[in-house]
Amino acid sequence: MDEDQKSILLKASARFPIPPGAKFSYGTAGFRADALVLESTVYRAGILAALRSLQTRSVTGLVITASHNKISDNGVKIADPSGGMLTQAWEPFADALANAADSNHLLQLIIEFAKKEGILIDGHCRAEVLLGRDTRPSGESLLEAAKQGINSIVGSAAVDMGILTTPQLHWMVRARNKGLKASERDYFVQLSSSFRWLMNLVPGERKVTGTDNKLVVDGANGVGGEKLECLMNRLDGLVIEVRNTGKGGGILNEGVGADYVQKEKVVPQEFGSNDIGMRCASLDGDADRLVYFIVPSVSSHNIVLVDGDKILSLFALFIKEQLGILYKGVDENNAYKARLGVVQTAYANGASTDFLKELGLEVVLTPTGVKFLHEKAAECDIGIYFEANGHGTILFSDSFLSWLEKRHNELSSMSEGSEQQKAAMRLLAASKLVNQAVGDAFSGLLLAEAILQNLSWSINRWNELYQDLPSRQLKVKVMDRTAVVTANAETVVVKPSGIQEAINAETVKYPRGRSFIRPSGTEDVIRVYAEASTQEGADSLAHSVAKLVEQFLG
Ligand code: 16G
Ligand code: MG
């Protein structure tokens, strides 16, 4: 690194001192904290995104958002060149950068890391970082800090893509690195055209009109509500009414949004008796989560939740059915043996896992966090992953897609209009519709809608795929959450010793009992999950296990 570069870094970083006593961790999905203490972290994340771009000679991304957290919080996460999450190998460096005590330490860290990783910071190589932010009021000034971080690395360009959902920014990074069109308009065109394609394949007798093609969406008073209004104007065959767009005075994530609906299982603000029986959905604050719900009756504030597990089950059922049609009558030796797999976490309702296994699917569990599920799903030809909380997507391997395209062309010339050709088209359209960079509430929603139309299913029919086992989630504040260490995709506690045996002893008391604990990746708590054959059982098991956590760690 030459002297000019050193002095640029020293000068610029001195403008973003770390708040006294602050400690930052990249966590499950980037840095998150009260927006007031985040400037230094975001500035340093800008440097990191530029270095990653230099190293990979590709475009990277940086998004300013705190997702479902309260409006006064904010956060920053980095998109890798693939469009996915920042490689886990760089997370320790991200932590070290964010916590460097002063400019000199920061400079030293960058020099050492660049040397170790073979990154040439000489001003000759170009780096490019795409930037996006959600609608939080603190977003604008934090974005400025990120730009200054990027500009502190000579030869780097920060490209402000404006206000975006998190998945839009990830999609753009992926598209840019694949040499594809990558503007926001291109994103909307891709989603709406592939949706139209899938809808055109709905069997004639199943085409519906009236309320059945209407969906009411809770936009969490965030960026998703605003962007969905742009997308819906481009859609045929689906009427979307967006509520909680953020324009009506509601507050981001307060009594609204996917996290609230999924955790509390109650009707979000602006929804009520007029929506009984309607197909409703909720996005989270940065639109990478999606859950559906039904308002069942006037008397109750509770909803019927159609969560990420049910979205996964719907997708898996559809993909499996289309593959079955496609392979019908095909000589086994000539068919591409596509490996279809589904990925869940320990939070997946036991009934969903049973359902998927009964479908004959391979089900894999990973620890919580999109980066883990995504990585596992990418090992399959068609990998479907979802967390119960609504994060998820479908990944298609390049080799499967090139076989599928070839097969589709053959079928089009040999048997245009046949069921097999249509199945190939549906799979191709689905692969273009789903966001393959990261889970995306918009593409998830459009695929769910298109599948429901293709199957001619109501949301009630969908909900009846299986019945969720009653469950309960609790959190326990402890002195040190890192004292809990888990294994086997968070299903077993290995530290502190003895606690797993105590959890097992409680769990066996309940029919269909299952329980686990894990340290949260985003909050200073231990999370407790329990399920059992009755709600009373799940509640009681969760409370007993929470007590154990207090005893062992209190
Ligand atoms: C983050 C993760 C989400 C995970 C959640 C768990 C991403 C994009 N988001 O929101 O996948 O379910 O954290 O939170 O990876 P917890 O560790 O506090 O339970
Ligand atoms: Mg989110």
Side-chain angles (χ1 to χ4, degrees):
M1 191 187 290
D2 65 23
E3 292 307 313
D4 274 357
Q5 170 68 81
K6 281 185 191 163
S7 100
I8 289 170
L9 264 169
L10 285 173
K11 256 197 217 136
S13 61
R15 292 198 297 272
F16 298 96
I18 181 169
K23 177 103 179 78
F24 299 101
S25 157
Y26 197 77
T28 316
F31 297 107
R32 257 179 230 181
D34 189 309
L36 294 173
V37 301
L38 266 179
E39 272 206 340
S40 67
T41 312
V42 174
Y43 165 79
R44 293 161 184 209
I47 296 178
L48 182 129
L51 294 178
R52 183 75 180 139
S53 169
L54 272 185
Q55 186 197 40
T56 56
R57 295 174 191 263
S58 306
V59 175
T60 57
L62 183 152
V63 56
I64 312 274
T65 178
S67 183
H68 57 279
N69 288 30
K70 56 182 190 283
I71 189 159
S72 53
D73 282 357
N74 215 329
V76 56
K77 50 186 165 186
I78 313 288
D80 235 23
S82 65
M85 303 289 170
L86 172 70
T87 174
Q88 288 168 48
W90 274 48
E91 286 180 10
F93 177 56
D95 286 345
L97 267 196
N99 292 303
D102 55 37
S103 299
N104 282 316
H105 278 103
L106 188 75
L107 179 63
Q108 217 42 50
L109 274 173
I110 295 171
I111 292 172
E112 279 163 22
F113 186 73
K115 193 167 161 214
K116 179 173 142 256
E117 292 285 325
I119 305 168
L120 213 59
I121 312 176
D122 61 0
H124 296 306
C125 302
R126 270 188 59 79
E128 187 174 339
V129 184
L130 306 187
L131 298 171
R133 66 177 175 97
D134 71 15
T135 50
R136 282 163 205 270
S138 55
E140 211 173 326
S141 64
L142 288 176
L143 194 96
E144 190 47 42
K147 279 185 189 167
Q148 297 210 27
I150 296 161
N151 292 334
S152 299
I153 300 294
V154 180
S156 303
V159 186
D160 185 357
M161 306 303 286
I163 291 182
L164 295 173
T165 71
T166 298
Q168 281 185 311
L169 196 269
H170 283 267
W171 183 94
M172 287 172 181
V173 170
R174 180 176 188 269
R176 269 296 305 276
N177 289 320
K178 281 187 164 279
L180 303 169
K181 291 185 185 168
S183 72
E184 184 174 26
R185 187 176 169 277
D186 299 318
Y187 169 88
F188 285 135
V189 167
Q190 174 155 342
L191 261 64
S192 55
S193 60
S194 47
F195 177 70
R196 192 168 308 125
W197 202 15
L198 261 176
M199 292 293 277
N200 286 340
L201 291 159
V202 173
E205 73 277 10
R206 291 184 180 171
K207 294 216 160 71
V208 290
T209 51
T211 52
D212 269 349
N213 67 1
K214 181 166 171 189
L215 172 72
V216 192
V217 180
D218 156 25
N221 288 319
V223 61
E226 185 178 317
K227 296 294 177 183
L228 187 56
E229 285 188 323
C230 308
L231 174 62
M232 71 187 195
N233 296 328
R234 297 173 171 270
L235 303 174
D236 300 324
L238 176 64
V239 179
I240 299 182
E241 182 187 334
V242 192
R243 303 207 190 131
N244 303 324
T245 57
K247 289 183 212 142
I251 298 172
L252 175 70
N253 297 332
E254 244 185 63
V256 294
D259 191 59
Y260 175 76
V261 166
Q262 189 243 349
K263 292 235 168 72
E264 308 294 328
K265 298 201 176 80
V266 296
V267 179
Q269 306 255 320
E270 303 301 323
F271 284 71
S273 51
N274 287 340
D275 306 308
I276 292 171
M278 294 289 298
R279 202 161 66 250
C280 302
S282 265
L283 318 174
D284 75 335
D286 62 342
D288 63 354
R289 284 194 197 186
L290 169 72
V291 295
Y292 275 75
F293 65 93
I294 313 166
V295 183
S297 69
V298 194
S299 54
S300 158
H301 197 50
N302 295 335
I303 50 145
V304 175
L305 179 69
V306 179
D307 64 359
D309 300 337
K310 279 228 166 102
I311 299 176
L312 166 66
S313 300
L314 181 73
F315 288 2
L317 189 88
F318 177 76
I319 298 280
K320 185 153 192 287
E321 187 178 272
Q322 300 309 313
L323 279 177
I325 300 172
L326 186 63
Y327 286 146
K328 212 186 290 167
V330 176
D331 177 1
E332 283 243 336
N333 298 321
N334 289 335
Y336 181 99
K337 290 195 181 56
R339 184 176 158 216
L340 171 62
V342 293
V343 187
Q344 301 189 298
T345 72
Y347 285 111
N349 195 279
S352 76
T353 312
D354 290 349
F355 172 82
L356 292 162
K357 286 186 176 159
E358 275 160 27
L359 271 185
L361 292 168
E362 183 190 334
V363 183
V364 179
L365 289 194
T366 70
T368 302
V370 168
K371 59 191 175 194
F372 299 115
L373 290 107
H374 192 97
E375 191 175 71
K376 255 294 163 233
E379 290 173 9
C380 300
D381 286 302
I382 308 178
I384 315 176
Y385 73 85
F386 262 90
E387 293 187 308
N389 63 22
H391 278 288
T393 192
I394 310 180
L395 303 181
F396 293 85
S397 73
D398 287 342
S399 53
F400 173 70
L401 282 181
S402 60
W403 174 80
L404 183 62
E405 263 171 44
K406 213 170 101 228
R407 184 73 191 132
H408 174 249
N409 291 339
E410 281 166 19
L411 288 164
S412 300
S413 59
M414 276 160 22
S415 55
E416 171 86 50
S418 68
E419 277 313 305
Q420 279 181 311
Q421 187 240 351
K422 285 186 196 159
M425 279 231 277
R426 288 193 189 101
L427 289 169
L428 276 177
S431 76
K432 297 219 163 20
L433 174 55
V434 289
N435 189 332
Q436 297 202 35
V438 79
D440 182 336
F442 292 175
S443 69
L445 179 150
L446 293 183
L447 183 60
E449 291 295 315
I451 295 175
L452 290 177
Q453 300 278 348
N454 265 281
L455 296 170
S456 190
W457 277 11
S458 67
I459 186 163
N460 288 307
R461 173 67 190 82
W462 174 17
N463 184 46
E464 283 159 9
L465 274 181
Y466 58 84
Q467 199 181 353
D468 276 323
L469 281 166
S471 66
R472 176 64 60 207
Q473 290 194 45
L474 297 174
K475 50 184 178 181
V476 185
K477 276 215 174 295
V478 292
M479 295 279 281
D480 177 17
R481 68 180 153 143
T482 61
V484 171
V485 179
T486 63
N488 295 358
E490 300 175 329
T491 55
V492 179
V493 194
V494 288
K495 267 191 201 159
S497 72
I499 192 168
Q500 185 59 52
E501 289 71 17
I503 294 174
N504 294 347
E506 279 307 315
T507 309
V508 292
K509 295 180 187 163
Y510 300 87
R512 295 229 55 182
R514 184 170 73 87
S515 182
F516 67 90
I517 63 167
R518 54 174 282 276
S520 158
T522 64
E523 260 185 83
D524 219 358
V525 296
I526 298 294
R527 296 203 192 280
V528 174
Y529 177 89
E531 77 188 21
S533 60
T534 63
Q535 191 60 55
E536 295 70 38
D539 291 351
S540 152
L541 177 56
H543 281 104
S544 311
V545 173
K547 272 208 198 98
L548 290 174
V549 173
E550 278 162 8
Q551 270 169 33
F552 277 79
L553 290 123

